[in-house]
């Protein structure tokens, strides 16, 4: 299925709002640094993280408090949950979510 935002991008003369970017470095347990880039658009948000030398992209999800990012999958994946300057990285499996690291942002 093609998303409406993609269709709008392909139509001549249609202006889309420019995405907003915010880069934050998080300092986590055991001296680990996690660089994060947040991308916000009217259509939604995402975060790009560097975890264990790999680039991870997670999509914005509903959260009761703060901002939560994950990947829409029934399998195992990361979850990034932020509130203020604090963030927690989780490993999500069908059985539940296990915290990997607790972090504090520089921004």
């Amino acid at each position: 299925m093609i998303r409406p935002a993609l269709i709008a991008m392909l139509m001549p003369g249609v202006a889309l709002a420019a995405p907003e970017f915010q880069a934050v470095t998080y300092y986590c347990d055991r001296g680990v640094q996690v660089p994060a880039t947040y991308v916000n658009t009217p259509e939604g948000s995402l975060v790009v993280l560097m975890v264990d030398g790999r680039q991870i992209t997670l999509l914005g999800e509903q959260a009761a408090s703060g901002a939560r990012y994950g990947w829409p999958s029934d399998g195992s994946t990361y979850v990034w949950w932020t509130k203020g300057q604090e963030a927690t990285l989780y490993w999500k499996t069908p059985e539940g979510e296990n915290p990997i690291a607790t972090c504090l942002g520089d921004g």
Side-chain angles (χ1 to χ4, degrees), residues 26 38-40 44-49 57-73 75-84 86-99:
Y26 289 88
Y38 295 93
V39 182
N40 296 302
S45 61
L46 63 88
V47 65
V48 179
L49 305 171
T57 301
L58 302 172
L59 304 178
E61 298 180 338
Q62 281 191 309
S65 180
R68 178 184 163 98
Y69 302 87
W71 192 255
S73 164
S76 298
T77 185
Y78 289 102
V79 171
W80 182 247
W81 203 323
T82 65
K83 185 171 183 180
E86 297 179 6
T88 304
L89 181 64
Y90 295 88
W91 181 247
K92 178 181 172 183
T93 66
E95 291 77 36
E97 296 178 4
N98 299 305

Side-chain angles (χ1 to χ4, degrees), residues 20-72:
E20 296 176 8
F21 297 91
Q22 180 186 12
V24 178
T25 299
Y26 289 88
Y27 300 90
C28 307
D29 305 331
R30 301 178 308 278
V32 174
Q33 289 185 25
V34 175
T37 301
Y38 295 93
V39 182
N40 296 302
T41 71
E43 291 79 27
S45 61
L46 63 88
V47 65
V48 179
L49 305 171
M50 288 300 293
V51 177
D52 292 331
R54 296 181 338 172
Q55 182 173 300
I56 308 293
T57 301
L58 302 172
L59 304 178
E61 298 180 338
Q62 281 191 309
S65 180
R68 178 184 163 98
Y69 302 87
W71 192 255

